[in-house]
């Protein structure tokens, strides 16, 4: 893992699926080992109990009854490593899904009690301020996969609204920004409200450096190759290079810690060096 991170040599990493510990001890060790002086993590919604039977299985304490899927609070959270100082400028992690007048929930599926407590964000929605030579905002989220539900399509609807929330956060930013994360939504293939991702890519607010490039292959017996991970800079940036790391077949003895391939983009602001 450390060798692969070093090979990409990114100034900023957005990590997802990383368990959260209250003292950030694991993240601090990872930041030290990778040479990133600055790091951030906050308690995610994953594994946080709701006290409601969200999946209608007769129980209210299972992993699918939590705010975001998880057997324990903090399972599969988010974190950021950076060579530049960074701070949390905004979080939308606690927003109640049903309280958003633009949101779409599965009709008749959730009880009134569940709708009062269920948050929109499966994991987290952050806007970070990065004090790079040209300061900018970094937006990240880790929406639910739009599967593992039933005909009510609760995960498909939630995933779509999580992506919409990220776009709404971006619309409020005046300066340069970057959206980065595993959004669990391909604009052309797979499950989910694909048009929502396609709309974001075509919005005119972000640049798509790698159109159509898959970032994970779930195999022929499942969803196959899909594009679910993104780095989307705003229009203020100049894209120098972009790519998808680790796309090659692993060599003998290579232990892969994720089947998702990291997306990287090398950016400059016009008029700077």
């Amino acid at each position: 893992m450390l060798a692969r991170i070093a090979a990409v040599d990114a100034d900023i990493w957005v990590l997802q699926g990383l368990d959260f510990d209250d003292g950030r001890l694991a993240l601090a060790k990872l930041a030290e080992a990778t040479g990133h002086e600055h790091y951030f993590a906050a308690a995610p919604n994953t594994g946080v109990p709701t006290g409601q039977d969200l999946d209608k299985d007769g129980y209210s304490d299972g992993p699918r009854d939590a705010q975001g899927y998880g057997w324990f609070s903090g399972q599969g959270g988010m974190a950021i490593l950076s060579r530049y100082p960074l701070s949390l400028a905004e979080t939308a992690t606690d927003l109640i899904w049903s309280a958003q007048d633009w949101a779409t929930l599965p009709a008749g599926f959730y009880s009134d009690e569940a709708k009062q407590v269920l948050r929109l964000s499966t994991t987290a929605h952050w806007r970070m301020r990065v004090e790079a030579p040209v300061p900018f905002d970094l937006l990240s989220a880790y929406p639910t996969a739009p599967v593992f539900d039933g005909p009510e399509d609760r995960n498909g609807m939630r995933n779509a609204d999580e992506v919409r929330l990220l776009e709404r956060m971006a619309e409020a930013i005046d300066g340069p920004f970057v959206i980065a994360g595993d959004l669990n939504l391909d604009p052309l293939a797979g499950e989910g409200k694909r048009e929502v991702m396609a709309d974001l890519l075509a919005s005119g607010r972000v640049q798509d450096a790698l159109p159509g490039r898959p970032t994970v292959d779930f195999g022929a017996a499942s969803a196959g190759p899909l594009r679910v991970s993104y780095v989307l800079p705003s229009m203020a940036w100049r894209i120098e290079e972009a790519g998808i790391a680790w796309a090659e077949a692993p060599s003998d003895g290579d232990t892969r810690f994720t089947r998702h391939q990291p997306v990287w983009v090398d950016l400059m602001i016009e008029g700077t060096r």
Side-chain angles (χ1 to χ4, degrees):
M1 173 180 179
L2 295 180
R4 286 182 172 272
I5 288 178
V8 177
D9 194 29
D11 290 327
I12 300 171
W13 280 89
V14 175
L15 303 174
Q16 298 179 318
L18 189 70
D19 292 349
F20 174 81
D21 65 271
D22 197 41
R24 284 77 165 175
L25 301 179
L27 183 59
K29 289 292 187 182
L30 180 59
E32 179 182 10
T34 59
H36 291 81
E37 181 179 355
H38 308 279
Y39 56 90
F40 176 84
N45 285 333
T46 47
V48 175
T50 64
Q52 302 294 317
D53 181 9
L54 297 182
D55 60 357
K56 303 294 183 72
D57 68 349
Y59 302 92
S60 60
D61 57 355
R64 290 188 174 86
D65 300 317
Q67 292 287 0
Y69 180 90
W71 289 95
F72 57 87
S73 293
Q75 180 180 357
M78 300 184 353
I80 297 174
L81 303 175
S82 176
R83 291 179 177 141
Y84 305 114
L86 74 165
S87 58
L88 180 66
E90 178 188 7
T91 179
T93 302
D94 295 339
L95 292 182
I96 300 300
W97 188 7
S98 64
Q100 312 313 307
D101 58 11
W102 49 267
T104 304
L105 281 74
F109 184 79
Y110 292 118
S111 67
D112 290 342
E113 293 79 10
K115 287 191 287 187
Q116 290 174 11
V117 300
L118 181 58
R119 299 169 184 172
L120 171 54
S121 183
T122 300
T123 310
H125 277 71
W126 299 335
R127 176 169 66 89
M128 306 297 301
R129 187 62 176 172
V130 182
E131 298 300 334
V134 176
F136 69 96
D137 289 308
L138 174 62
L139 292 165
S140 188
Y142 190 14
T144 181
V147 290
F148 309 119
D149 51 15
E152 81 291 337
D153 195 27
R154 66 187 188 277
N155 288 338
M157 291 183 178
R158 191 178 185 184
N159 170 276
D161 279 352
E162 290 190 78
V163 174
R164 290 189 183 105
L165 175 57
L166 202 59
E167 185 172 10
R168 293 173 77 91
M169 293 172 71
E171 289 172 351
I173 298 174
D174 291 329
F177 66 84
V178 177
I179 295 174
D182 177 357
L183 304 186
N184 268 316
L185 190 59
D186 188 306
L188 300 174
E191 298 293 329
K193 311 293 185 185
R194 297 189 294 272
E195 68 278 6
V196 173
M197 195 67 234
D199 287 348
L200 172 58
L201 295 174
S203 66
R205 292 190 55 82
V206 297
Q207 303 178 69
D208 187 359
L210 298 164
R213 293 281 300 277
T215 61
V216 65
D217 189 348
F218 291 108
S222 184
L226 292 176
R227 185 187 188 193
V228 297
S229 297
Y230 300 85
V231 177
L232 302 174
S234 64
M235 304 305 291
W237 297 98
R238 182 175 73 248
I239 298 174
E240 300 287 288
E241 291 185 86
I244 298 175
W246 313 342
E248 79 289 350
S251 60
D252 291 343
D254 181 18
T255 301
R256 296 198 147 198
F257 62 94
T258 175
R259 60 184 170 184
H260 290 266
Q261 299 161 1
V263 176
W264 61 268
V265 179
D266 188 7
L267 299 173
M268 296 287 287
I269 289 285
E270 294 292 348
T272 65
R273 300 179 66 107

